[in-house]
Amino acid sequence: MISDTVVIFDTTLRDGEQSPGAAMSISEKIEIAHQLAKLKVDIIEAGFPVSSPAQFEATRLCAEQVEGPVICGLARAQAGDIEAAGKALQAAKKRRIHTFIATSPIHMEYKLRKKPDEVVKMAVEAVKLAKTFTDDVEFSPEDACRSEIPFLIEVLTAVVEAGATTLNIPDTVGYVLPYEYGQIIKRLREGVKNIDKAVISTHCHNDLGMAVGNSLAGVRNGARQVECTVNGLGERAGNAAMEEIVMAIHTRPDFFENVKTNIKTTEIYRASQLVSQITGFVIQPNKAIVGANAFAHESGIHVDGILKQRQTYEIMTPETIGLSGSRMVLGRHSGRAGFSDRCVSMGYKLSKEELQAAYEKFLQIADKKKEVFDEDIAAIINDEIRAIEHVYGLEYLHVACGTGTLPTASVKIRKGEDIKLAAAFGDGPVDAAYEAIREATGLSPAIENYSIRAITGGKEAMGEATVRIKNGTRTYMGRGVSTDIIEASAKAYVDAINRMVSLESKDRLSEAKAEV
Ligand code: KIV
Ligand code: ZN
């Protein structure tokens, strides 16, 4: 009898972070991991410890500090990787090593340059070595969905024999369709010897937009672990979105008979916001479950139906994912206690100094806008209080533009005690401001992406700018919030530069420490 619980394996911190621009600092990862624990995910894949000192440290700190979920580290089927994962996970109360090797003909021939027999041997040795660190060992045949099924059955049978307790079936390149994925799971359940000793897991990428559909087809065919990420973050088109998987299972008990997850659904929205704020990946308004419009009804017929009977047009309630039905607003007169209460109820843990700084910023915003919404508060905290070190500060910005004039900008940028002034012109006011910032900082990372949106409604809405910059091969996101969109754009660029400088110096520091 297979279990009726679908284990949620969250890989936001590992596969999600492989998303271009989604690099997170170690402290940001720990903050997300704590929220994942509140959400009650069963397993957190905290990182790929051998890949960099920062990944090792993030996994180690998660293992040490995050209670509740099993903490997992990724490792190729190589001794060095497995030993690094074992070491990073030492402090965890519950730990798992996830080891993988590719099994598709194209990966074995061109990437690994190994014969199938050698791959089976490496997989078995990897699982046996991982077993010396923990009983909980997961094995993934990478690119499983383009592998030959008889070979997959051979490898998986061998790793179960060696002690693997979870068999993960990755659709690494997001190639298959739901019916096919379901059939692969079914054939493996039928073909792998002693399959009852292991849990079958799905791991689907979204290149064809099928990641969630494929994962659910896997569940229908007996998979009892789903690997997913918050907001579907992940390489290329991303991974299966955790919130969509969980809510599909939750909303359709008739289809997923007797199947449930352990997720505390009322923490979904908070987790989604936190990941979006930290990574700078804006959630599209029409994103299922967590998009701004997911529960918004506008057409007259729909609103009329909802008022008469909610279920006419609503298959789940916003409250289920942690969205409060009524939008409570704060204003200048709400006071420090009111502000502090709201921060706590939104899930923020702020120190006295952080609360004071956030409150002062809140008062400034409240002076400009009569009503301050939760989204504004989240923006204040994430924009002003977040832990990245602000090497550069935007002290002053002046922009002149208009029809028939050349847009020009002057900025004052602080770096420690140093103040740099610069002026520049550009194609538009934002371009001019960016040129001036480049001039003042002496840094000129390429801009890969820029977007602006209104966070809240009304003519004094806060604008949020998001910028993705590239330095060498790495990309960084920056966010800026202001009631003035040019200022928000300039702040976003400075934020991205700070993130770049801070993450690169932290990585250098960790590398130096690791060498010592
Ligand atoms: O997509 C993939 O194949 C992976 C493996 C490491 C499981 O992320
Ligand atoms: Zn993956």
Side-chain angles (χ1 to χ4, degrees):
M1 249 278 283
I2 61 170
S3 148
D4 60 358
T5 300
V6 174
V7 168
I8 297 295
F9 176 114
D10 186 281
T11 183
T12 307
L13 302 180
R14 199 278 297 170
D15 220 345
E17 208 215 8
Q18 286 173 219
S19 201
M24 305 166 212
S25 69
I26 294 173
S27 58
E28 289 170 339
K29 286 187 182 177
I30 304 299
E31 193 173 354
I32 291 179
H34 281 299
Q35 177 59 27
L36 293 173
K38 270 198 192 161
L39 184 64
K40 297 209 177 303
V41 306
D42 301 280
I43 298 146
I44 295 175
E45 190 164 48
F48 187 179
V50 83
S51 67
S52 75
Q55 288 269 340
F56 182 92
E57 196 55 10
T59 311
R60 192 186 71 75
L61 288 176
C62 256
E64 197 177 270
Q65 296 177 9
V66 181
E67 292 196 3
V70 174
I71 308 297
C72 174
L74 183 70
R76 285 168 300 184
Q78 292 178 11
D81 285 37
I82 294 165
E83 281 154 8
K87 201 166 155 205
L89 293 169
Q90 238 163 18
K93 288 213 177 83
K94 296 181 274 178
R95 57 181 158 267
R96 171 180 294 188
I97 293 179
H98 174 192
T99 184
F100 71 99
I101 189 165
T103 49
S104 63
I106 185 168
H107 276 231
M108 290 192 290
E109 184 178 345
Y110 296 103
K111 188 183 83 173
L112 298 177
R113 299 186 194 284
K114 300 256 178 253
K115 297 266 173 284
D117 284 357
E118 292 174 275
V119 167
V120 178
K121 195 161 166 269
M122 285 174 76
V124 167
E125 278 169 9
V127 169
K128 284 189 176 158
L129 180 59
K131 285 296 260 193
T132 65
F133 293 95
T134 171
D135 272 347
D136 188 347
V137 174
E138 170 168 333
F139 174 76
S140 287
E142 192 192 4
D143 203 15
C145 296
R146 294 191 299 168
S147 305
E148 285 159 7
I149 296 275
F151 182 58
L152 267 186
I153 291 178
E154 181 189 337
V155 180
L156 294 176
T157 300
V159 295
V160 170
E161 171 81 29
T165 43
T166 300
L167 303 178
N168 184 40
I169 313 302
D171 183 14
T172 305
V173 289
Y175 178 68
V176 292
L177 306 178
Y179 178 76
E180 286 176 286
Y181 192 77
Q183 288 303 303
I184 292 172
I185 300 296
K186 184 165 180 274
R187 287 177 67 188
L188 295 177
R189 270 189 73 204
E190 288 162 0
V192 175
K193 225 164 117 195
N194 290 325
I195 189 71
D196 290 346
K197 289 189 179 167
V199 171
I200 300 186
S201 164
T202 69
H203 179 110
C204 300
H205 280 269
N206 206 29
D207 299 66
L208 292 174
M210 302 290 157
V212 169
N214 286 348
S215 308
L216 295 173
V219 171
R220 269 290 285 205
N221 284 280
R224 285 296 177 265
Q225 173 176 290
V226 173
E227 300 201 351
C228 47
T229 57
V230 175
N231 300 336
L233 195 70
E235 255 186 307
R236 307 184 307 278
N239 288 60
M242 174 279 300
E243 59 282 0
E244 296 178 25
I245 306 274
V246 168
M247 289 312 291
I249 293 174
H250 185 90
T251 309
R252 294 298 307 276
D254 55 326
F255 188 75
F256 296 102
E257 291 158 357
N258 297 322
V259 168
K260 59 168 185 48
T261 71
N262 292 324
I263 293 296
K264 188 171 174 202
T265 60
T266 47
E267 291 293 334
I268 285 179
Y269 186 70
R270 210 164 279 155
S272 160
Q273 286 292 308
L274 186 66
V275 169
S276 166
Q277 300 285 353
I278 284 181
T279 58
F281 275 53
V282 175
I283 301 165
Q284 74 195 56
N286 58 333
K287 162 85 180 61
I289 318 294
V290 290
N293 294 348
F295 293 95
H297 301 275
E298 205 165 298
S299 98
I301 296 174
H302 288 208
V303 173
D304 180 54
I306 288 276
L307 290 175
K308 287 176 176 149
Q309 155 63 272
R310 267 177 99 158
Q311 282 163 2
T312 48
Y313 288 101
E314 216 171 68
I315 59 165
M316 55 198 155
T317 64
E319 290 79 8
T320 327
I321 64 151
L323 262 174
S324 52
S326 59
R327 285 161 60 89
M328 299 266 293
V329 291
L330 293 183
R332 198 168 208 327
H333 303 294
S334 307
R336 183 198 301 271
F339 177 74
S340 162
D341 258 16
R342 180 61 56 84
C343 293
V344 172
S345 74
M346 288 171 71
Y348 289 109
K349 276 194 205 141
L350 301 179
S351 68
K352 235 165 101 189
E353 294 74 35
E354 287 171 336
L355 181 66
Q356 178 59 23
Y359 182 60
E360 279 166 20
K361 192 72 202 165
F362 159 77
L363 289 178
Q364 285 171 23
I365 303 285
D367 271 346
K368 291 189 197 166
K369 288 175 97 218
K370 275 193 223 61
E371 296 176 320
V372 182
F373 295 96
D374 285 359
E375 291 90 332
D376 297 318
I377 296 175
I380 293 171
I381 292 172
N382 294 310
D383 194 43
E384 308 281 336
I385 317 296
R386 279 237 169 272
I388 72 153
E389 197 193 336
H390 282 84
V391 176
Y392 297 98
L394 179 66
E395 300 266 297
Y396 166 90
L397 167 74
H398 176 78
V399 175
C401 63
T403 318
T405 54
L406 189 64
T408 51
S410 41
V411 296
K412 195 198 266 185
I413 298 273
R414 178 192 39 75
K415 185 184 180 200
E417 302 288 288
D418 270 11
I419 295 283
K420 282 255 163 46
L421 295 166
F425 55 85
D427 289 340
V430 174
D431 189 42
Y434 283 15
E435 195 47 51
I437 291 167
R438 284 194 277 270
E439 189 72 36
T441 58
L443 297 168
S444 42
I447 294 174
E448 283 219 313
N449 195 295
Y450 163 82
S451 67
I452 185 105
R453 70 175 183 123
I455 303 180
T456 41
K459 70 178 171 20
E460 284 130 353
M462 296 260 273
E464 178 186 62
T466 310
V467 182
R468 190 164 82 203
I469 60 171
K470 186 163 190 178
N471 192 28
T473 53
R474 287 185 74 175
T475 50
Y476 306 87
M477 302 293 283
R479 292 175 57 261
V481 177
S482 170
T483 45
D484 174 316
I485 58 170
I486 312 292
E487 185 183 320
S489 307
K491 280 178 159 180
Y493 193 41
V494 174
D495 186 47
I497 290 178
N498 276 326
R499 187 168 279 271
M500 173 182 95
V501 173
S502 157
L503 288 180
E504 288 180 0
S505 88
K506 275 185 187 156
D507 280 2
R508 276 197 299 275
L509 205 68
S510 312
E511 272 157 26
K513 266 197 207 151
E515 269 171 33
V516 171

